[in-house]
Amino acid sequence: MRSDWTSSVFSALAAVAVAAGLAGLNLFLWQSQNLVLPLANALLLTALLYTFNMSWGFFVESRTKRQFTELFGQYVPPELVEEMARNPEGYTMDGRKAELTVLFSDVRGFTTISEGLAPDELAALMNEYLGAMTEVIRGHKGTLDKYIGDAVVAMFGAPLALPGHAHHACLAALLSQARLAELRERWRAAGAWPEAVNAMQSRIGLNTGVAVVGNMGSRVRFNYTMMGDSVNLAARMESGAKHWGVHVMCTEATRVACEQHAAGRVVFRPLGRIVVKGRTEPVPIHEVFGEAGSLPVDGAD
């Protein structure tokens, strides 16, 4: 972001002030000492310096925006990229700790679905499905982490801090189920897919906690991603949803964080407790049942 000292308004005022000062000095010397200075050269130099300053600032700012778009554009909603570009000093690709809500989504029975489709059909199906899910996540200010086959991994709360990230994640999970239901209806109406595709379901797991986020990878390839126990626990919520027969399952930490930001706006159903590998204490779990005042998105199988 350009500082006030290099802003267009200040630069214009400074150029006018310098030009006026030079003209005033020239007038004073002419009246008092009958001395005439080469004013044209000084004014031309002032104009050139002003033009150079404005051009430099424009190209630096444009380059910064391009860099942010290249780094984050494929992960972060465009409006967040614009906000980050206005204050690039506040963001970094280096590893740091951040409180996030992590979302893992997976298609149930994907192996069976994929075996019944030709490669081009499978690619078309996944492009449509993943495109719809990504739109939902980005619509709730989530950051796409990666695709793992049919799985979608996303974070809410990085690289840009997001107040109420747990609430955003819960709404995104519920809307994802609603969008998938719309896709199923459209697929059935078109009659273009086998019944296994028309009945496609997904499971989503959520967890809120501290994770390490940053640009990670190797010299060959980097990716803005997240790591930590809280990320692993979100993955456990997704896989555990199958056992509990629900579409969206979250930890107690996500429920509490969501309630703190938007009490009563999301309905949770307690499921019980599970023992997670690497933890000694059982983890309370909940179904993200729906938005208050509305029916559940879809019934659990």
Side-chain angles (χ1 to χ4, degrees), residues 4 8-9 24 36 50 64 86 114 120 128 138 152-153 184 186 211 215 217 221-222 224 233 248 293 299:
D4 291 340
S8 58
V9 175
V36 179
Y50 169 74
T64 299
R86 287 194 292 268
S114 61
D120 58 335
E128 184 172 10
R138 291 170 64 132
V152 180
V153 184
R184 289 196 301 264
R186 191 165 77 237
N215 210 20
R221 183 176 181 180
F222 279 91
Y224 189 82
L233 188 53
V248 184

Side-chain angles (χ1 to χ4, degrees), residues 194-280:
E195 186 53 36
V197 174
N198 296 335
M200 192 167 78
Q201 303 277 347
S202 70
R203 297 186 300 264
I204 298 176
L206 302 170
N207 180 47
T208 301
V210 176
V212 175
V213 296
N215 210 20
M216 305 179 197
S218 67
R219 289 181 298 177
V220 177
R221 183 176 181 180
F222 279 91
N223 183 40
Y224 189 82
T225 187
M226 55 188 168
M227 297 179 65
D229 180 63
S230 60
V231 180
N232 298 333
L233 188 53
R236 297 290 184 273
M237 293 299 102
E238 181 275 314
S239 59
K242 177 181 178 180
H243 172 76
W244 290 90
V246 298
H247 291 308
V248 184
M249 193 167 88
C250 73
T251 60
E252 174 74 0
T254 297
R255 184 197 68 80
V256 170
C258 182
E259 289 290 342
Q260 288 176 343
H261 179 78
R265 294 177 63 180
V266 176
V267 178
F268 297 89
R269 182 167 70 95
L271 296 175
R273 295 171 179 264
I274 60 173
V275 178
V276 180
K277 184 178 180 180
R279 294 185 175 223
T280 57

Side-chain angles (χ1 to χ4, degrees), residues 29-41:
L29 292 176
W30 178 68
Q31 291 179 339
S32 62
Q33 302 182 28
N34 199 29
L35 180 64
V36 179
L37 297 178
L39 183 60
N41 291 338

Side-chain angles (χ1 to χ4, degrees), residues 107-123 125-126 150 194 196-197 200:
V107 173
R108 191 180 68 188
F110 179 71
T111 301
T112 301
I113 293 174
S114 61
E115 288 177 348
L117 298 174
D120 58 335
E121 292 177 328
L122 181 60
L125 173 66
M126 283 293 92
D150 61 294
V197 174
M200 192 167 78

